[in-house]
Amino acid sequence: MAEAANGDGNAKTMTIIVTKGTLDWAYPPFILATTAAAMGVEVTMFFTFYGLSLLQKKLDLQVSPLGNPAMKMPMMGMHMGMPNIVAMLPGVEAGATAMMKNMIKNKGVASVEELREAAIEADVKIIACQMTMDLFELKTEDMIPGVALGGAATYMEKALASDINLYI
Amino acid sequence: MAEAANGDGNAKTMTIIVTKGTLDWAYPPFILATTAAAMGVEVTMFFTFYGLSLLQKKLDLQVSPLGNPAMKMPMMGMHMGMPNIVAMLPGVEAGATAMMKNMIKNKGVASVEELREAAIEADVKIIACQMTMDLFELKTEDMIPGVALGGAATYMEKALASDINLYI
Amino acid sequence: MAEAANGDGNAKTMTIIVTKGTLDWAYPPFILATTAAAMGVEVTMFFTFYGLSLLQKKLDLQVSPLGNPAMKMPMMGMHMGMPNIVAMLPGVEAGATAMMKNMIKNKGVASVEELREAAIEADVKIIACQMTMDLFELKTEDMIPGVALGGAATYMEKALASDINLYI
């Protein structure tokens, strides 16, 4: 694609640092990565901190309305937030997660698993932060295949040569 | 402005992805956008997820001290955080919001509404994420005029040609 | 270093906007800044909002599991999250902070204080946001020496001329 090639004939490149591991924040990095890849951009995703949970074989992502007064779900024609005193009750986080998953499915939006699969098929490069892996005692065998390990220096080398660098 | 023109005579450009919709996190994107525009930089703001609430005609932004132990407000010469067991009580979020709004006003800092108005007057381009609009059942008629709709591909095209790309 | 020099012989440059002030989110900016500096990259860190607390002489950083269902600490061979109804109890935030500090120390990872010191020794430029300083009534005398004051325009000038710009 014309837009995705720079002056010297090389493809455009993008890096994304992925630090969040909740259901809602799993979407932006995978949507941007798959869209960019479809446009011919070479994408490297660097997963670190809570973002590493997005690489687990079996995803168990949740969303929390607690402390996020901007989260207002459409319900019965209105947009409702949830008081914190309700949101902190056991089961409510699971309920909000189920509600958001339902909403995503009903609107025909892809699941995180599907987007992740699409990213891998589009040759998006997946790097897991070695330091966080050690810190949180995470193992590559619990993760999807094709994950490379790297550190901040690995990221920096890619980012210095990239057209777009985002921290999510 | 000299700094805001690149080699081939075009203006410098910046994109900002705006994903948060609370009172505190509404400031960074609008302050950066208006400052950049005042320096002659062409700015595109892409509002998605909870950030879309910043485009509503009538803003009702709140702030929550819950789960943010770094939020310490100046009170009686000290800086006080708020225990979560207090922060989760009904009314406390509204109180913290009122306190922060008061603080902002007393210090002569512009309101989010004023900064948003300034951004629009400075020709900052406002794009709302179509997918999130559908997902959360938001309508353009509830939003300020002049909002364009777009997707991740719209964003990517702008970002690939921009000097600064931030994800907030 | 070859990677850190661009065509016209100048060093590569990076800016980082630091907006978070918790123990966990203090790591990414300082790790990236010190790694980049070690590779010969000129780094400017712009501290604003809750990020300003990272510049205080005596750090008192905390972490909260509240509303972050993705935070799962390794415990007795498992990875455990914490129900919000437990996380909001007085003392639990302090406990989670102590647990994370222990984990960091046991794994031989540097403390935030050590990383901050390393950044300063590597000539990373530290700018504190004047507007937030006024808003939260923070004073330079409570901060580490060598902090410069600046605003969004100061940031923009640096960012327009930089190879990597991140918002954390």
Side-chain angles (χ1 to χ4, degrees):
Chain A
M1 199 179 197
E3 289 88 352
N6 57 28
D8 46 17
N10 297 326
K12 292 268 186 181
T13 48
M14 175 164 78
T15 70
I16 306 175
I17 299 182
V18 186
T19 67
K20 310 286 188 317
T22 50
L23 177 62
D24 41 1
W25 297 129
Y27 274 90
F30 283 120
I31 286 175
L32 287 166
T34 50
T35 304
M39 293 167 79
V41 178
E42 284 179 11
V43 184
T44 300
M45 300 176 85
F46 185 82
F47 292 81
T48 184
F49 279 78
Y50 314 115
L52 279 170
S53 64
L54 303 185
L55 296 180
Q56 288 184 304
K57 269 180 196 151
K58 204 168 161 48
L59 290 180
D60 175 28
L61 307 182
Q62 283 185 284
V63 77
S64 175
L66 249 192
N68 182 7
M71 184 190 289
K72 287 175 184 157
M73 303 247 205
M75 270 189 275
M76 301 172 285
M78 299 170 61
H79 285 85
M80 312 262 290
M82 195 177 281
N84 287 315
I85 203 163
V86 174
M88 67 95 196
L89 294 173
V92 171
E93 215 159 68
T97 301
M99 197 185 293
M100 188 171 273
K101 280 190 177 169
N102 242 330
M103 196 170 81
I104 288 165
K105 201 174 172 184
N106 291 342
K107 305 285 175 175
V109 174
S111 69
V112 174
E113 284 85 349
E114 288 165 334
L115 284 171
R116 186 174 70 171
E117 188 59 32
I120 291 163
E121 277 171 21
D123 286 325
V124 168
K125 196 174 166 137
I126 310 268
I127 301 176
C129 173
Q130 178 77 68
M131 195 198 82
T132 320
M133 296 279 290
D134 295 345
L135 193 58
F136 287 97
E137 296 177 10
L138 299 171
K139 297 183 181 71
T140 36
E141 54 257 41
D142 298 329
M143 294 188 170
I144 50 170
V147 172
L149 292 176
T154 319
Y155 164 76
M156 280 303 299
E157 272 173 38
K158 276 281 176 192
L160 283 171
S162 285
D163 300 278
I164 303 178
N165 298 302
L166 300 176
Y167 176 100
I168 295 186
Chain B
M1 200 178 197
E3 289 90 350
N6 57 26
D8 47 16
N10 297 326
K12 291 267 187 183
T13 48
M14 174 164 78
T15 69
I16 306 175
I17 298 182
V18 186
T19 67
K20 308 288 189 315
T22 50
L23 177 61
D24 41 1
W25 297 128
Y27 274 91
F30 283 120
I31 286 174
L32 286 165
T34 51
T35 305
M39 293 166 80
V41 178
E42 283 180 12
V43 184
T44 300
M45 301 177 85
F46 186 82
F47 292 80
T48 185
F49 279 77
Y50 315 115
L52 279 171
S53 64
L54 303 184
L55 296 181
Q56 287 184 304
K57 270 180 195 151
K58 204 168 163 46
L59 291 180
D60 175 29
L61 307 181
Q62 282 184 286
V63 78
S64 175
L66 249 193
N68 182 7
M71 184 191 287
K72 286 174 184 157
M73 304 247 202
M75 270 188 276
M76 299 172 287
M78 298 170 62
H79 285 86
M80 312 262 289
M82 195 177 281
N84 287 315
I85 203 163
V86 174
M88 67 95 197
L89 293 174
V92 170
E93 214 158 68
T97 301
M99 198 184 292
M100 188 170 272
K101 280 191 176 169
N102 241 331
M103 198 171 81
I104 288 166
K105 201 175 173 185
N106 291 342
K107 305 286 177 175
V109 174
S111 69
V112 174
E113 285 85 347
E114 288 166 335
L115 283 171
R116 185 174 71 170
E117 188 60 32
I120 290 164
E121 277 171 19
D123 287 325
V124 168
K125 196 174 166 137
I126 311 269
I127 300 177
C129 173
Q130 177 78 68
M131 194 198 82
T132 320
M133 297 278 291
D134 295 344
L135 194 58
F136 287 98
E137 296 177 11
L138 299 171
K139 297 184 181 70
T140 36
E141 53 257 42
D142 298 328
M143 295 188 167
I144 50 170
V147 172
L149 292 177
T154 320
Y155 164 76
M156 280 303 300
E157 272 173 39
K158 276 281 176 193
L160 283 171
S162 285
D163 301 278
I164 303 178
N165 297 304
L166 301 175
Y167 177 101
I168 296 187
Chain C
M1 199 178 199
E3 289 88 350
N6 56 28
D8 45 19
N10 298 325
K12 292 266 187 184
T13 49
M14 175 164 76
T15 69
I16 305 174
I17 299 182
V18 186
T19 66
K20 309 287 189 316
T22 50
L23 177 61
D24 41 1
W25 297 128
Y27 274 90
F30 284 120
I31 286 174
L32 286 165
T34 51
T35 304
M39 292 167 80
V41 178
E42 285 179 10
V43 184
T44 300
M45 300 177 86
F46 186 82
F47 292 80
T48 184
F49 278 79
Y50 314 115
L52 279 171
S53 63
L54 303 184
L55 296 180
Q56 288 184 304
K57 269 179 196 152
K58 204 169 163 44
L59 290 180
D60 175 28
L61 307 182
Q62 283 184 283
V63 78
S64 175
L66 248 194
N68 182 7
M71 184 191 288
K72 286 173 185 158
M73 304 247 203
M75 270 189 276
M76 299 172 287
M78 298 169 62
H79 286 85
M80 312 263 290
M82 194 176 281
N84 287 314
I85 203 163
V86 173
M88 67 97 198
L89 293 174
V92 170
E93 214 158 68
T97 301
M99 197 184 293
M100 188 171 273
K101 279 190 176 170
N102 243 330
M103 196 171 82
I104 288 165
K105 201 175 173 183
N106 291 343
K107 305 286 175 174
V109 173
S111 69
V112 175
E113 285 85 349
E114 288 165 335
L115 283 172
R116 187 174 70 171
E117 189 59 32
I120 290 163
E121 277 170 20
D123 287 326
V124 168
K125 195 172 167 136
I126 310 268
I127 300 177
C129 172
Q130 177 78 68
M131 194 197 81
T132 320
M133 297 278 289
D134 295 344
L135 194 59
F136 286 98
E137 296 177 11
L138 299 170
K139 298 183 182 69
T140 37
E141 54 257 40
D142 298 329
M143 294 186 169
I144 50 170
V147 172
L149 292 176
T154 320
Y155 164 75
M156 280 303 300
E157 272 173 38
K158 276 281 176 194
L160 283 172
S162 285
D163 301 278
I164 303 178
N165 297 303
L166 300 176
Y167 176 101
I168 296 185

